[in-house]
Amino acid sequence: MHEVTRLLNAIEQGDPQAAEQLLPLVYGELRRQAARKLAQERPGQTLDATALVHEAYLRLVGDGASGWQSRGHFFAAAAEAMRRILVERARRKKRLKHGGGLRRVPLDGVRAAAGAPSDDLLALDEALAQLAEEDPVKARLVELRFFAGLSVEDAARCLGISRATADRYWAYARAWLYEKVRAGEKSENR
């Protein structure tokens, strides 16, 4: 049994020291995932990769593990936790009491601004939720590829499908999500 899987099982059994031993083993990979997620966000974020990793880790291990079957399952859950954290932050920033649609603009060089990437993330999250209702496997593949940064091979292995099937699902899901997000943009511009 892989060391990470052994520690995840120990956490589930209530071993308090296992959570302390797990973080150093998974920190590097979680940090890389977080950096990939934050690279897609608007510059000037107050949340950095380290903070995102720690917040996601607390959500995953804070109340005890939730029955992870493998290392891959844990990292997929971590990717999901990071996605939810970023979506929650985007929603919170969008609320009126946090400035709503207002954004800081430097006074030197005022230009017409495009939609904020957080809007894109919210639109993608909405479309992904619709895809999950229609086809949960394809939605999970998108989460593993886009949010967890897994390769097609690794995502296929996590889902228990072949590489060829994963390639087909990935192509379909990207086209489906593109159309949903694009349709949403068109309706907002009317």
Side-chain angles (χ1 to χ4, degrees):
M1 183 183 296
H2 194 276
E3 182 67 10
V4 171
T5 305
R6 187 189 67 73
L7 288 172
L8 291 170
N9 289 335
I11 291 169
E12 192 171 340
Q13 299 301 322
D15 182 354
Q17 292 179 343
E20 293 173 20
Q21 295 170 355
L22 178 64
L23 185 58
L25 291 176
V26 298
Y27 185 79
E29 180 60 31
L30 291 176
R31 183 105 171 45
R32 282 187 290 280
Q33 282 184 6
R36 282 191 298 266
K37 301 291 160 265
L38 291 172
Q40 299 165 356
E41 292 292 307
R42 180 178 44 191
Q45 290 288 324
T46 56
L47 184 69
D48 64 359
T50 302
L52 182 56
V53 166
H54 288 274
E55 193 168 338
Y57 188 79
L58 286 174
R59 286 187 183 194
L60 291 170
V61 182
D63 296 329
S66 59
W68 297 296
Q69 293 112 10
S70 67
R71 179 179 187 277
H73 189 214
F74 173 78
F75 283 113
E80 175 69 15
M82 288 181 199
R83 178 177 78 96
R84 289 175 191 252
I85 290 165
L86 292 173
V87 167
E88 287 167 8
R89 287 178 59 84
R91 283 186 179 136
R92 189 177 73 240
K93 284 182 179 182
K94 198 169 177 139
R95 278 190 238 132
L96 187 56
K97 72 178 187 178
H98 290 284
L102 303 177
R103 292 183 288 156
R104 289 184 186 174
V105 177
L107 294 178
D108 59 334
V110 175
R111 304 181 287 242
S118 62
D119 292 341
D120 295 340
L121 183 62
L122 292 175
L124 177 61
D125 182 60
E126 227 175 86
L128 193 55
Q130 290 175 4
L131 179 60
E133 290 175 11
E134 182 180 302
D135 193 329
V137 176
K138 288 182 180 102
R140 192 73 180 131
L141 178 65
V142 171
E143 290 172 353
L144 293 172
R145 294 276 293 129
F146 185 77
F147 291 103
L150 295 182
S151 67
V152 174
E153 295 86 8
D154 290 340
R157 221 180 349 264
C158 277
L159 294 171
I161 59 177
S162 72
R163 162 71 195 254
T165 300
D167 283 334
R168 281 193 314 276
Y169 284 6
W170 177 239
Y172 174 85
R174 284 188 330 197
W176 193 93
L177 289 169
Y178 175 78
E179 286 301 317
K180 286 293 183 185
V181 170
R182 197 169 125 223
E185 288 173 356
K186 285 182 181 178
S187 67
E188 285 178 9
N189 291 333
R190 289 184 188 167

